Amino acid sequence: MSTMNAKAISEGEEEVSGMRNETLGDSVHSGEVKRRQVILVAYLIAAIDLTFLFMQMGIMPYLAKSLGLDSVGFGYLQTTFGVLQLVGGYIFGRFADQFGARAALILSCASGSVFFLLMSMSTSIPLLFLSRLPGVFMHGIPGAQKVITDMTTPSQRADALGKLGLCFGIGIIAGSALGGVLSTEFGIFVPTYVALVGSLINTLIAVVWIPLQTKPKLNQHMTENSNLFSIREMLRLMKFPGVMEVFIVKVFAGLPIGLFMIMFSIISMDFFGLEAVESGYLMSYFGVLQMVVQGLVVGKLANHCTEMTLLRLSVFVFAGVGLGMALMKTVWHYCIIAVPLVFAFSMLATITDSILTKAVPSSDTGAMLGICASVQPLTRTVGPTIGGVLYKQFGVSSFGYLQLVVNIGLFVYLSKSKIPLREVKSQ
């Protein structure tokens, strides 16, 4: 009798254990499905945000010209936006660390709504400059990166961040085309009305679909310094092993190309002899390349190669791109060079972001992404002056030679130095 009872108890325990394991497995599966859904929503928000951003970039020269703003004034307008984004990048990142990725995305989308509202009301030059102010918090890509960083493991991060390039490509193609069609068919302000409604919808998507907490529970704590802007905090992050070295590579490897791209509207007219429509086709070509490279190539390479290997590869390819640019004569040459250019640019951005977010505590990933996001605004701020001098004094080839020299130096530096890369857990 006792033997039968013991057997029954044993079978009961096994059944309970099996049910517990099954429940745990269902919970893990449900959590994984929800995690993927949130990441997909972050991609959607980024794609919508970039579409409207490129839409306004396309119509801005025409709007400024219609208000009587000359080329010098337009340069000041662009510099103003660049400075605001430069200052706001780190503040936005710190805000995301302290209040969460959901709050940061809502702030970015809401700022975009105010941005397009003011732009739709810009009937004078002062109002046009005023419309740039919300740009200080318009950081949709860093916000999406923050969500992805919080919800992926270190081994998944480079692949997941790389897929944001698909959003970038969609934004270039859809934004450029939509802005051109709407402004031509219905008037210069219609794209701003569409972008305003779209930004409000984007805000609603962030409110409904992004969870209040995106970090694992063991990582949910406030950073030591509660100030949103702190030079001391920036310096603290730069002191983590490998951070300063990789950040220097991130800034300087793509700087000459960044200067070239800032001057591209002038170069496309003067050097390549392109019309506005042909320049639009070229931008669409870049968008397609961006989608293919970041959607299909970057992730696969990140899964099979070490990040330091890919960092060296991107710098080496950048050097080759510099040589090609120094020798190019026609727009067809540039179309060929664009393939390795997009590859190197995409790989550098993705890998450095992945390395740098792994190198700091998880409580500081937002601040680190904010610092990374400030690289492009920095280029846009100083670019018009430096790029203008290079183009006027030395011609288009000067961008290529500068790119070649800088990246050869960086490649030698990366080959000889032993940069300590390690993942730092939340402290």
Side-chain angles (χ1 to χ4, degrees):
M1 189 71 176
S2 61
T3 304
M4 292 177 63
N5 287 339
K7 184 176 181 181
I9 291 171
S10 177
E11 289 176 352
E13 289 176 347
E14 288 178 2
E15 185 177 349
V16 171
S17 177
M19 291 175 63
R20 187 184 296 116
N21 289 337
E22 184 177 344
T23 303
L24 182 61
D26 290 343
S27 177
V28 171
H29 177 70
S30 176
E32 179 66 18
V33 170
K34 186 176 181 181
R35 183 187 68 83
R36 290 179 180 176
Q37 288 176 344
V38 173
I39 291 176
L40 286 175
V41 171
Y43 289 145
L44 175 63
I45 291 173
I48 294 173
D49 180 81
L50 286 166
T51 297
F52 297 139
L53 185 63
F54 280 105
M55 185 191 297
Q56 72 87 24
M57 287 172 63
I59 67 168
M60 182 53 66
Y62 302 98
L63 177 58
K65 186 177 180 180
S66 69
L67 296 176
L69 196 65
D70 60 15
S71 58
V72 176
F74 184 69
Y76 291 148
L77 185 70
Q78 296 293 80
T79 300
T80 299
F81 188 68
V83 170
L84 288 169
Q85 290 251 294
L86 176 63
V87 173
Y90 175 74
I91 297 175
F92 180 84
R94 291 279 294 168
F95 180 89
D97 283 333
Q98 294 188 23
F99 299 101
R102 179 175 180 264
L105 270 178
I106 292 171
L107 174 64
S108 175
C109 296
S111 298
S113 300
V114 178
F115 176 88
F116 289 114
L117 175 63
L118 292 173
M119 190 173 168
S120 68
M121 299 165 57
S122 297
T123 54
S124 65
I125 293 175
L127 282 175
L128 189 62
F129 273 87
L130 182 65
S131 72
R132 306 294 94 182
L133 288 180
V136 71
F137 294 124
M138 287 173 59
H139 297 279
I141 287 294
Q145 287 176 324
K146 175 63 176 170
V147 173
I148 293 167
T149 300
D150 286 349
M151 304 199 75
T152 55
T153 63
S155 61
Q156 299 169 328
R157 191 167 300 168
D159 185 21
L161 289 174
K163 287 185 171 62
L164 273 173
L166 285 169
C167 306
F168 199 86
I170 292 171
I172 291 178
I173 297 170
S176 302
L178 197 58
V181 171
L182 290 175
S183 61
T184 302
E185 297 294 330
F186 304 104
I188 194 69
F189 285 106
V190 172
T192 64
Y193 303 146
V194 173
L196 171 58
V197 174
S199 295
L200 290 171
I201 293 173
N202 226 13
T203 307
L204 186 62
I205 292 172
V207 170
V208 174
W209 291 101
I210 301 297
L212 188 61
Q213 295 291 348
T214 53
K215 286 184 179 181
K217 289 185 178 180
L218 56 86
N219 290 332
Q220 292 175 10
H221 66 274
M222 302 291 283
T223 50
E224 295 176 5
N225 192 330
S226 60
N227 294 331
L228 287 179
F229 187 83
S230 171
I231 299 296
R232 182 181 298 175
E233 282 295 294
M234 290 185 189
L235 295 176
R236 180 180 68 85
L237 293 180
M238 288 297 165
K239 290 178 182 177
F240 282 100
V243 170
M244 179 63 80
E245 294 91 336
V246 173
F247 186 72
I248 287 174
V249 173
K250 181 180 183 69
V251 171
F252 287 101
L255 180 60
I257 290 294
L259 299 177
F260 174 83
M261 295 306 294
I262 286 173
M263 300 299 299
F264 186 72
S265 59
I266 296 175
I267 292 172
S268 64
M269 290 188 294
D270 295 349
F271 186 77
F272 293 133
L274 300 180
E275 299 292 335
V277 175
E278 294 168 329
S279 294
Y281 291 151
L282 195 58
M283 289 300 293
S284 297
Y285 170 64
F286 264 89
V288 172
L289 283 179
Q290 184 92 18
M291 292 172 65
V292 171
V293 169
Q294 292 217 226
L296 302 177
V297 179
V298 173
K300 292 185 182 298
L301 286 177
N303 290 331
H304 292 89
C305 304
T306 66
E307 290 179 329
M308 184 51 68
T309 298
L310 294 177
L311 183 59
R312 292 191 184 105
L313 175 64
S314 62
V315 170
F316 180 77
V317 173
F318 255 147
V321 167
L323 179 60
M325 287 181 62
L327 301 175
M328 74 176 178
K329 300 296 181 184
T330 69
V331 69
W332 297 110
H333 293 162
Y334 183 60
C335 288
I336 296 172
I337 295 168
V339 177
L341 167 60
V342 171
F343 169 80
F345 209 90
S346 302
M347 183 64 73
L348 180 77
T350 301
I351 294 302
T352 51
D353 285 350
S354 179
I355 291 173
L356 291 170
T357 54
K358 292 177 186 178
V360 299
S362 62
S363 58
D364 291 312
T365 53
M368 194 70 250
L369 286 170
I371 293 173
C372 291
S374 68
V375 173
Q376 286 190 356
L378 175 63
T379 305
R380 287 201 300 268
T381 302
V382 303
T385 302
I386 300 176
V389 170
L390 283 174
Y391 180 58
K392 186 175 181 180
Q393 299 294 328
F394 305 104
V396 172
S397 62
S398 62
F399 296 100
Y401 287 121
L402 182 62
Q403 180 76 15
L404 175 63
V405 171
V406 168
N407 281 275
I408 286 178
L410 290 174
F411 184 77
V412 172
Y413 170 70
L414 288 173
S415 299
K416 291 188 175 183
S417 64
K418 299 293 182 181
I419 298 177
L421 297 182
R422 64 185 182 89
E423 181 190 351
V424 180
K425 301 296 183 184
S426 181
Q427 294 177 344

